[in-house]
Amino acid sequence: ILNVEQSPQSLHVQEGDSTNFTCSFPSSNFYALHWYRWETAKSPEALFVMTLNGDEKKKGRISATLNTKEGYSYLYIKGSQPEDSATYLCAFSAPGNQFYFGTGTSLTVIP
Amino acid sequence: KAGVTQTPRYLIKTRGQQVTLSCSPISGHRSVSWYQQTPGQGLQFLFEYFSETQRNKGNFPGRFSGRQFSNSRSEMNVSTLELGDSALYLCASSLGTGGANTGELFFGEGSRLTVL
């Protein structure tokens, strides 16, 4: 069983603030690291998948970086908006389509 | 393109009963995975099916089982329900091909099971 840890567990930010969260994962036998966004009463939706050390991905105001050697990924949200409120999950995927998820970071953006 | 459909969305059972949940993947997806989420826990991997074969299994007791049909639809069954089985059960589909999988999971909205 692979241990994927996310921090913080939850945070509240003011609208317009920028924020970031951390995902830690085993650095050995790395395959891929995924970020998902999960809004209340909806399905988790994929944000990014990263496979290479040093990868950086960006989608609008959200971006992510990957360090496979030290086993961490950061997710950044610039200028948070209320619609960014959600739980952000990271997952480490292993061969054979097996994903190991962290417990998520719950973000609340206060208008 | 239709998304992943899970039924039922909500159900209530009592201890000792059994339950079957259904998942219809996105057309063309051959892999279906099942996850359990309980409060304070991340998504816990139950099992994954690909082309009607269980390819991976998580660390759950034998009361949890599943199957996949030729049209890629999948069912999971939980027998002899316990209070601790109360959870949100999510199904995810993906293409599932390739060795070191980097594919995206597409999730359904889940089936919320309450065991009384």
Side-chain angles (χ1 to χ4, degrees):
Chain A
I1 296 176
L2 295 172
N3 199 27
V4 177
E5 296 183 352
Q6 291 187 247
S7 63
Q9 189 172 10
S10 66
L11 74 164
H12 293 70
V13 301
Q14 291 292 137
E15 181 175 354
D17 286 351
S18 294
T19 187
N20 64 85
F21 336 126
T22 305
C23 173
S24 301
F25 53 87
S27 56
S28 58
N29 298 319
F30 177 82
Y31 284 88
L33 193 284
H34 307 251
W35 282 99
Y36 285 81
R37 181 170 179 272
W38 193 0
E39 288 183 75
T40 302
K42 294 188 178 179
S43 317
E45 291 185 343
L47 285 172
F48 307 113
V49 55
M50 294 180 287
T51 57
L52 299 175
N53 185 45
D55 255 356
E56 290 188 28
K57 294 285 179 80
K58 187 175 181 182
K59 187 182 289 189
R61 294 179 291 98
I62 304 176
S63 60
T65 60
L66 178 67
N67 183 322
T68 61
K69 294 186 178 180
E70 296 181 40
Y72 64 83
S73 174
Y74 293 135
L75 186 80
Y76 300 92
I77 301 179
K78 184 177 177 182
S80 303
Q81 299 298 306
E83 58 264 30
D84 296 328
S85 297
T87 296
Y88 292 83
L89 299 171
C90 77
F92 176 98
S93 66
N97 215 36
Q98 189 160 354
F99 284 63
Y100 298 89
F101 282 85
T103 53
T105 293
S106 174
L107 172 67
T108 302
V109 181
I110 303 163
Chain B
K1 163 161 140 172
V4 178
T5 304
Q6 288 189 246
T7 56
R9 292 289 313 280
Y10 303 91
L11 66 166
I12 300 173
K13 293 283 187 178
T14 56
R15 279 181 297 175
Q17 287 187 310
Q18 66 93 27
V19 66
T20 299
L21 309 177
S22 178
C23 173
S24 294
I26 289 172
S27 177
H29 285 189
R30 294 161 64 188
S31 169
V32 174
S33 305
W34 289 89
Y35 292 84
Q36 180 197 63
Q37 197 211 23
T38 51
Q41 298 287 320
L43 296 178
Q44 302 292 311
F45 174 74
L46 282 154
F47 25 67
E48 186 242 358
Y49 287 86
F50 181 82
S51 293
E52 301 181 67
T53 301
Q54 186 180 88
R55 197 161 59 171
N56 286 293
K57 189 176 190 308
N59 191 28
F60 277 81
R63 300 184 297 106
F64 292 81
S65 63
R67 58 179 175 167
Q68 187 179 34
F69 302 96
S70 58
N71 62 358
S72 293
R73 189 177 71 86
S74 177
E75 289 180 348
M76 68 162 280
N77 184 77
V78 188
S79 62
T80 319
L81 284 166
E82 301 176 359
L83 295 179
D85 297 334
S86 295
L88 179 68
Y89 291 89
L90 285 170
C91 157
S93 78
S94 69
L95 290 170
T97 55
N101 176 64
T102 58
E104 178 181 341
L105 293 179
F106 293 82
F107 284 89
E109 292 185 315
S111 293
R112 185 165 294 281
L113 170 66
T114 301
V115 182
L116 303 176

